[in-house]
């Protein structure tokens, strides 16, 4: 995910741009860091980073593991 993609997806969530979990998610999604290392550097828990990654990935409609587009499910 590029920084531009990250910012666009973040704008669609209620996450704070200054939040520690948001920083951890940025380190994982944009910089390619490991989740536990990103959480340590951001000063928050691994669970908080994971939750932020999930919210941002859903907003971007991208898979957090491979970066591929996720198809929306219609009922």
């Amino acid at each position: 995910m590029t920084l531009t993609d990250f910012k666009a997806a973040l704008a669609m969530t209620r996450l704070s741009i200054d939040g520690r979990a948001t920083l951890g998610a940025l380190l994982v999604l944009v910089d390619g860091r490991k989740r536990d290392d990103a959480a340590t550097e951001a000063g928050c828990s691994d669970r908080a980073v994971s939750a932020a990654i999930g919210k941002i990935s859903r907003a971007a409609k991208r898979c957090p593991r491979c970066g591929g587009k996720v198809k929306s499910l219609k009922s």
Side-chain angles (χ1 to χ4, degrees):
M1 176 180 283
T2 66
L3 182 58
T4 304
D5 294 337
F6 181 86
K7 287 180 180 180
L10 183 62
M12 291 185 264
T13 68
R14 293 182 179 240
L15 295 174
S16 169
I17 195 165
D18 298 324
R20 291 181 284 176
T22 304
L23 172 60
L26 178 121
L27 293 172
V28 172
L29 295 172
V30 177
D31 294 343
R33 300 259 185 96
K34 291 184 180 181
R35 193 175 314 161
D36 55 344
D37 293 338
T40 301
E41 187 171 330
C44 64
S45 69
D46 184 43
R47 290 180 79 179
V49 172
S50 294
I53 289 170
K55 288 179 184 179
I56 293 166
S57 296
R58 281 190 299 278
K61 295 182 171 93
R62 296 265 178 198
C63 174
R65 293 186 185 261
C66 69
K69 287 194 173 193
V70 176
K71 295 179 184 177
S72 61
L73 299 175
K74 294 185 180 181
S75 299

Coordinates of all heavy atoms in Angstrom, one line a residue:
M1 N 0.8 -1.2 0.0 CA 0.0 0.0 0.0 C 0.9 1.2 0.0 O 1.9 1.3 0.7 CB -0.9 0.0 1.3 CG -1.8 1.1 1.5 SD -2.8 1.1 3.0 CE -4.1 0.0 2.4
T2 N 0.5 2.2 -0.8 CA 1.3 3.4 -0.9 C 0.8 4.4 0.2 O -0.3 4.2 0.8 CB 1.1 4.1 -2.2 OG1 -0.2 4.6 -2.3 CG2 1.6 3.2 -3.4
L3 N 1.6 5.4 0.5 CA 1.2 6.4 1.5 C -0.1 7.1 1.1 O -0.9 7.4 2.0 CB 2.3 7.4 1.7 CG 2.1 8.4 2.8 CD1 1.8 7.8 4.2 CD2 3.3 9.4 2.9
T4 N -0.2 7.4 -0.1 CA -1.5 8.0 -0.6 C -2.7 7.1 -0.4 O -3.7 7.6 0.0 CB -1.3 8.3 -2.1 OG1 -0.2 9.1 -2.3 CG2 -2.5 9.1 -2.7
D5 N -2.5 5.8 -0.7 CA -3.6 4.8 -0.4 C -4.0 4.8 1.0 O -5.1 4.7 1.4 CB -3.2 3.4 -0.9 CG -3.1 3.3 -2.4 OD1 -3.6 4.2 -3.2 OD2 -2.4 2.4 -2.9
F6 N -2.9 4.8 1.9 CA -3.1 4.7 3.3 C -3.9 6.0 3.8 O -4.8 5.8 4.6 CB -1.7 4.7 4.0 CG -1.8 4.6 5.5 CD1 -2.0 3.3 6.1 CD2 -1.7 5.7 6.3 CE1 -2.1 3.3 7.5 CE2 -1.8 5.6 7.7 CZ -2.0 4.4 8.3
K7 N -3.5 7.1 3.4 CA -4.2 8.4 3.8 C -5.6 8.4 3.3 O -6.5 8.8 4.1 CB -3.4 9.6 3.2 CG -2.1 9.9 3.9 CD -1.5 11.1 3.4 CE -0.2 11.4 4.0 NZ 0.5 12.6 3.5
A8 N -5.9 7.9 2.1 CA -7.2 7.9 1.6 C -8.1 6.9 2.4 O -9.2 7.3 2.7 CB -7.2 7.5 0.1
A9 N -7.6 5.8 2.7 CA -8.3 4.8 3.5 C -8.5 5.3 4.9 O -9.6 5.1 5.5 CB -7.6 3.4 3.5
L10 N -7.5 5.9 5.5 CA -7.6 6.5 6.8 C -8.7 7.5 6.9 O -9.4 7.6 7.9 CB -6.2 7.0 7.3 CG -6.1 7.6 8.7 CD1 -6.4 6.4 9.7 CD2 -4.8 8.2 8.9
A11 N -8.8 8.3 5.9 CA -9.9 9.3 5.9 C -11.3 8.7 5.9 O -12.2 9.4 6.4 CB -9.7 10.2 4.6
M12 N -11.4 7.5 5.5 CA -12.7 6.8 5.5 C -13.0 6.1 6.9 O -14.1 5.5 7.1 CB -12.8 5.8 4.4 CG -12.9 6.5 3.1 SD -13.1 5.2 1.8 CE -11.4 4.9 1.3
T13 N -12.1 6.2 7.8 CA -12.3 5.5 9.1 C -12.4 6.6 10.2 O -12.2 7.8 9.9 CB -11.1 4.7 9.5 OG1 -9.9 5.5 9.7 CG2 -10.7 3.6 8.4
R14 N -12.7 6.2 11.4 CA -12.7 7.2 12.5 C -11.4 7.2 13.3 O -11.4 7.7 14.4 CB -13.9 6.8 13.4 CG -15.2 7.0 12.7 CD -16.3 6.7 13.7 NE -17.6 6.9 13.1 CZ -18.5 7.8 13.5 NH1 -18.3 8.5 14.6 NH2 -19.6 7.9 12.9
L15 N -10.4 6.6 12.7 CA -9.1 6.6 13.5 C -8.4 7.9 13.4 O -8.5 8.7 12.5 CB -8.2 5.5 12.8 CG -8.6 4.1 12.9 CD1 -7.7 3.2 12.0 CD2 -8.6 3.6 14.3
S16 N -7.8 8.2 14.5 CA -7.0 9.5 14.6 C -5.7 9.4 13.8 O -5.0 8.4 13.9 CB -6.7 9.8 16.1 OG -5.8 10.9 16.2
I17 N -5.4 10.4 13.1 CA -4.2 10.5 12.3 C -3.0 10.5 13.2 O -1.9 10.1 12.8 CB -4.2 11.6 11.3 CG1 -3.1 11.4 10.2 CG2 -4.1 13.0 12.0 CD1 -3.2 12.3 9.0
D18 N -3.2 11.0 14.4 CA -2.1 11.1 15.4 C -2.0 9.9 16.4 O -1.2 9.9 17.3 CB -2.2 12.4 16.2 CG -2.1 13.6 15.3 OD1 -1.4 13.6 14.3 OD2 -2.8 14.6 15.6
G19 N -2.8 8.9 16.2 CA -2.9 7.8 17.1 C -1.7 6.9 17.0 O -1.1 6.7 16.0
R20 N -1.4 6.3 18.1 CA -0.3 5.3 18.2 C -0.5 4.1 17.3 O 0.3 3.6 16.6 CB 0.1 4.9 19.6 CG 0.7 6.1 20.4 CD 1.0 5.7 21.8 NE -0.2 5.6 22.5 CZ -0.3 5.2 23.8 NH1 0.7 4.9 24.4 NH2 -1.5 5.2 24.4
A21 N -1.8 3.6 17.4 CA -2.1 2.4 16.6 C -2.1 2.7 15.1 O -1.7 1.9 14.3 CB -3.5 1.9 17.0
T22 N -2.5 3.9 14.8 CA -2.4 4.4 13.4 C -1.0 4.4 12.9 O -0.7 4.0 11.7 CB -3.1 5.8 13.2 OG1 -4.4 5.7 13.7 CG2 -3.1 6.2 11.8
L23 N -0.1 4.9 13.7 CA 1.3 4.9 13.4 C 1.8 3.4 13.2 O 2.5 3.2 12.2 CB 2.2 5.6 14.4 CG 3.7 5.5 14.3 CD1 4.1 6.1 13.0 CD2 4.4 6.1 15.5
G24 N 1.4 2.5 14.1 CA 1.8 1.1 13.9 C 1.3 0.5 12.6 O 2.0 -0.2 11.9
A25 N 0.0 0.9 12.3 CA -0.6 0.4 11.0 C 0.2 0.9 9.8 O 0.4 0.2 8.8 CB -2.1 0.7 11.0
L26 N 0.6 2.2 9.9 CA 1.3 2.8 8.8 C 2.7 2.1 8.6 O 3.1 1.8 7.5 CB 1.6 4.3 9.1 CG 2.4 5.0 8.0 CD1 1.6 6.1 7.4 CD2 3.7 5.5 8.6
L27 N 3.3 1.8 9.7 CA 4.6 1.1 9.6 C 4.4 -0.3 9.0 O 5.3 -0.8 8.3 CB 5.2 0.9 11.0 CG 5.7 2.3 11.7 CD1 6.1 2.0 13.1 CD2 6.8 2.9 10.9
V28 N 3.3 -1.0 9.3 CA 3.1 -2.3 8.7 C 2.7 -2.2 7.3 O 3.3 -2.9 6.4 CB 2.1 -3.1 9.6 CG1 1.7 -4.4 8.9 CG2 2.6 -3.4 10.9
L29 N 1.6 -1.5 7.0 CA 1.0 -1.4 5.7 C 1.9 -0.7 4.6 O 1.9 -1.1 3.5 CB -0.4 -0.8 5.7 CG -1.4 -1.6 6.5 CD1 -2.7 -0.8 6.7 CD2 -1.7 -2.9 5.9
V30 N 2.5 0.4 5.0 CA 3.3 1.2 4.0 C 4.7 0.8 4.0 O 5.3 0.6 3.0 CB 3.1 2.7 4.3 CG1 3.9 3.5 3.4 CG2 1.6 3.1 4.2
D31 N 5.3 0.7 5.2 CA 6.8 0.4 5.3 C 7.1 -1.1 5.3 O 8.3 -1.5 5.2 CB 7.4 1.0 6.6 CG 7.3 2.6 6.5 OD1 7.1 3.1 5.4 OD2 7.5 3.2 7.5
G32 N 6.1 -2.0 5.5 CA 6.4 -3.4 5.4 C 7.0 -4.0 6.7 O 7.6 -5.1 6.6
R33 N 6.9 -3.3 7.8 CA 7.5 -3.8 9.1 C 6.6 -5.0 9.6 O 5.5 -5.1 9.3 CB 7.5 -2.7 10.1 CG 8.3 -1.5 9.7 CD 9.7 -1.6 10.4 NE 10.4 -0.4 10.1 CZ 10.5 0.7 10.9 NH1 9.8 0.7 12.1 NH2 11.2 1.7 10.6
K34 N 7.2 -5.7 10.5 CA 6.5 -6.8 11.2 C 5.6 -6.1 12.2 O 5.9 -5.1 12.8 CB 7.4 -7.7 11.9 CG 8.2 -8.6 11.0 CD 9.1 -9.6 11.8 CE 9.9 -10.4 10.8 NZ 10.7 -11.4 11.6
R35 N 4.4 -6.7 12.5 CA 3.4 -6.1 13.3 C 3.9 -5.9 14.8 O 3.7 -4.9 15.3 CB 2.2 -7.0 13.4 CG 1.0 -6.3 14.0 CD -0.3 -7.1 13.9 NE -0.4 -7.7 12.5 CZ -1.2 -8.7 12.2 NH1 -1.9 -9.3 13.1 NH2 -1.2 -9.2 11.0
D36 N 4.6 -6.9 15.3 CA 5.1 -6.7 16.7 C 6.2 -5.6 16.8 O 6.2 -4.9 17.8 CB 5.5 -8.0 17.3 CG 6.6 -8.7 16.5 OD1 6.8 -8.4 15.3 OD2 7.2 -9.6 17.1
D37 N 7.0 -5.5 15.8 CA 8.0 -4.5 15.8 C 7.4 -3.1 15.7 O 7.8 -2.1 16.3 CB 9.0 -4.7 14.7 CG 9.9 -5.9 14.8 OD1 10.0 -6.4 16.0 OD2 10.4 -6.4 13.8
A38 N 6.4 -3.0 14.8 CA 5.7 -1.7 14.6 C 5.0 -1.3 15.9 O 5.0 -0.1 16.3 CB 4.7 -1.9 13.5
A39 N 4.3 -2.3 16.6 CA 3.7 -2.0 17.8 C 4.6 -1.5 18.9 O 4.3 -0.5 19.6 CB 2.9 -3.2 18.4
T40 N 5.8 -2.1 19.0 CA 6.8 -1.6 19.9 C 7.3 -0.2 19.6 O 7.4 0.6 20.5 CB 8.0 -2.6 19.9 OG1 7.5 -3.9 20.3 CG2 9.1 -2.2 20.9
E41 N 7.5 0.0 18.3 CA 8.0 1.4 17.9 C 6.9 2.4 18.1 O 7.3 3.6 18.5 CB 8.4 1.3 16.5 CG 9.1 2.6 16.1 CD 9.7 2.6 14.7 OE1 10.2 1.5 14.3 OE2 9.8 3.6 14.0
A42 N 5.7 2.1 17.9 CA 4.6 3.0 18.1 C 4.2 3.2 19.5 O 3.5 4.2 19.9 CB 3.4 2.6 17.3
G43 N 4.6 2.3 20.4 CA 4.3 2.4 21.8 C 2.9 2.0 22.2 O 2.2 2.5 23.0
C44 N 2.4 1.0 21.4 CA 1.0 0.4 21.8 C 1.1 -1.1 21.6 O 2.1 -1.7 21.3 CB 0.0 1.1 20.9 SG 0.2 0.7 19.1
S45 N -0.1 -1.7 21.9 CA -0.2 -3.2 21.8 C -0.3 -3.7 20.4 O -0.7 -3.0 19.5 CB -1.4 -3.6 22.7 OG -2.6 -3.3 22.0
D46 N 0.1 -4.9 20.3 CA 0.0 -5.6 19.0 C -1.5 -5.7 18.6 O -1.8 -5.6 17.4 CB 0.6 -7.0 19.1 CG 0.6 -7.8 17.8 OD1 0.9 -7.2 16.7 OD2 0.2 -9.0 17.8
R47 N -2.4 -5.9 19.5 CA -3.8 -6.0 19.2 C -4.4 -4.6 18.7 O -5.2 -4.6 17.8 CB -4.6 -6.3 20.5 CG -4.4 -7.8 20.9 CD -5.1 -8.1 22.1 NE -6.5 -8.4 21.8 CZ -7.4 -8.7 22.6 NH1 -7.2 -8.8 23.9 NH2 -8.7 -8.9 22.2
A48 N -3.9 -3.5 19.2 CA -4.3 -2.2 18.8 C -3.9 -2.0 17.3 O -4.6 -1.5 16.5 CB -3.8 -1.1 19.7
V49 N -2.7 -2.4 17.0 CA -2.2 -2.3 15.6 C -3.0 -3.2 14.7 O -3.3 -2.8 13.6 CB -0.6 -2.6 15.6 CG1 -0.2 -2.6 14.1 CG2 0.1 -1.5 16.4
S50 N -3.2 -4.4 15.1 CA -4.0 -5.3 14.3 C -5.4 -4.8 14.0 O -5.9 -4.9 12.9 CB -4.2 -6.7 15.0 OG -2.9 -7.3 15.1
A51 N -6.0 -4.2 15.0 CA -7.4 -3.6 14.8 C -7.3 -2.4 13.8 O -8.2 -2.3 13.0 CB -7.9 -3.1 16.2
A52 N -6.3 -1.6 14.0 CA -6.2 -0.4 13.0 C -5.9 -0.9 11.6 O -6.5 -0.4 10.7 CB -5.0 0.5 13.5
I53 N -5.1 -2.0 11.5 CA -4.8 -2.5 10.2 C -6.1 -3.1 9.5 O -6.4 -2.8 8.4 CB -3.7 -3.7 10.3 CG1 -2.4 -3.1 10.6 CG2 -3.7 -4.5 9.0 CD1 -1.3 -4.1 10.9
G54 N -6.9 -3.7 10.3 CA -8.2 -4.3 9.8 C -9.1 -3.2 9.4 O -9.7 -3.3 8.3
K55 N -9.2 -2.1 10.1 CA -10.1 -1.0 9.8 C -9.6 -0.3 8.5 O -10.4 0.0 7.6 CB -10.2 0.0 10.9 CG -11.0 -0.5 12.1 CD -11.0 0.6 13.2 CE -11.8 0.0 14.4 NZ -11.8 1.0 15.5
I56 N -8.4 -0.1 8.4 CA -7.8 0.6 7.3 C -7.9 -0.3 6.0 O -8.2 0.2 4.9 CB -6.4 1.1 7.6 CG1 -6.4 2.2 8.6 CG2 -5.7 1.6 6.3 CD1 -5.1 2.5 9.3
S57 N -7.6 -1.5 6.2 CA -7.7 -2.5 5.1 C -9.1 -2.6 4.5 O -9.3 -2.6 3.3 CB -7.1 -3.8 5.4 OG -5.8 -3.7 5.8
R58 N -10.1 -2.7 5.4 CA -11.5 -2.7 5.0 C -11.9 -1.5 4.3 O -12.6 -1.5 3.3 CB -12.4 -3.0 6.2 CG -12.4 -4.5 6.6 CD -13.5 -4.7 7.6 NE -13.3 -4.0 8.9 CZ -12.6 -4.3 9.9 NH1 -11.8 -5.4 9.8 NH2 -12.5 -3.6 11.0
A59 N -11.4 -0.3 4.8 CA -11.7 1.0 4.1 C -11.1 1.1 2.7 O -11.7 1.6 1.8 CB -11.3 2.1 5.0
A60 N -9.9 0.5 2.6 CA -9.2 0.5 1.3 C -9.6 -0.6 0.4 O -9.3 -0.6 -0.8 CB -7.7 0.4 1.6
K61 N -10.4 -1.5 0.9 CA -10.8 -2.7 0.2 C -9.6 -3.5 -0.3 O -9.6 -3.9 -1.5 CB -11.8 -2.3 -0.9 CG -13.1 -1.8 -0.4 CD -14.1 -1.4 -1.5 CE -15.4 -1.1 -0.9 NZ -15.7 0.2 -0.6
R62 N -8.6 -3.6 0.5 CA -7.4 -4.4 0.2 C -7.2 -5.4 1.3 O -7.4 -5.2 2.4 CB -6.2 -3.4 0.2 CG -6.3 -2.4 -0.9 CD -5.5 -2.8 -2.1 NE -5.6 -1.8 -3.1 CZ -5.4 -2.1 -4.4 NH1 -5.0 -3.3 -4.7 NH2 -5.5 -1.2 -5.3
C63 N -6.6 -6.6 0.9 CA -6.2 -7.6 1.8 C -5.0 -7.2 2.5 O -4.0 -6.7 2.0 CB -5.9 -8.9 1.0 SG -5.3 -10.2 2.0
P64 N -5.0 -7.3 3.9 CA -3.8 -6.8 4.7 C -2.6 -7.7 4.5 O -1.5 -7.3 4.7 CB -4.3 -6.9 6.1 CG -5.5 -7.8 6.1 CD -6.1 -7.7 4.7
R65 N -2.8 -8.9 4.0 CA -1.7 -9.8 3.8 C -1.0 -9.7 2.4 O 0.2 -9.6 2.3 CB -2.1 -11.3 4.0 CG -2.5 -11.6 5.4 CD -2.7 -13.1 5.6 NE -3.2 -13.4 6.9 CZ -2.4 -13.8 7.9 NH1 -1.2 -14.0 7.6 NH2 -2.9 -14.0 9.0
C66 N -1.8 -9.7 1.4 CA -1.3 -9.7 0.0 C -1.4 -8.4 -0.7 O -0.8 -8.1 -1.7 CB -1.9 -10.8 -0.8 SG -3.6 -10.6 -1.3
G67 N -2.4 -7.5 -0.2 CA -2.6 -6.2 -0.9 C -3.5 -6.3 -2.0 O -3.8 -5.3 -2.7
G68 N -4.1 -7.5 -2.3 CA -5.0 -7.6 -3.5 C -6.3 -7.0 -3.1 O -6.7 -6.9 -2.0
K69 N -7.1 -6.6 -4.2 CA -8.4 -6.1 -4.0 C -9.4 -7.1 -3.5 O -9.3 -8.3 -3.9 CB -8.9 -5.5 -5.3 CG -8.2 -4.3 -5.8 CD -9.0 -3.6 -6.8 CE -8.4 -2.2 -7.1 NZ -9.2 -1.4 -7.9
V70 N -10.2 -6.7 -2.5 CA -11.2 -7.5 -1.9 C -12.5 -7.3 -2.6 O -12.9 -6.1 -2.7 CB -11.3 -7.3 -0.4 CG1 -12.4 -8.1 0.2 CG2 -9.9 -7.5 0.3
K71 N -13.2 -8.3 -3.0 CA -14.5 -8.2 -3.6 C -15.5 -8.0 -2.5 O -15.5 -8.6 -1.5 CB -14.9 -9.4 -4.4 CG -14.0 -9.7 -5.6 CD -14.4 -10.9 -6.3 CE -13.4 -11.2 -7.5 NZ -13.7 -12.5 -8.1
S72 N -16.5 -7.1 -2.8 CA -17.5 -6.9 -1.8 C -18.6 -8.0 -1.9 O -18.9 -8.4 -3.1 CB -18.2 -5.5 -1.9 OG -18.7 -5.4 -3.2
L73 N -19.1 -8.4 -0.8 CA -20.1 -9.5 -0.8 C -21.5 -8.8 -0.9 O -21.8 -8.0 -0.1 CB -20.0 -10.3 0.4 CG -18.7 -11.1 0.6 CD1 -18.7 -11.8 1.9 CD2 -18.5 -12.1 -0.6
K74 N -22.3 -9.2 -1.8 CA -23.7 -8.7 -1.9 C -24.6 -9.7 -1.4 O -24.5 -10.9 -1.8 CB -24.0 -8.2 -3.3 CG -23.1 -7.1 -3.8 CD -23.5 -6.6 -5.2 CE -22.7 -5.5 -5.6 NZ -23.0 -4.9 -6.9
S75 N -25.6 -9.3 -0.7 CA -26.6 -10.3 -0.1 C -27.6 -10.6 -1.1 O -28.1 -9.9 -1.9 CB -27.3 -9.7 1.1 OG -26.3 -9.4 2.1

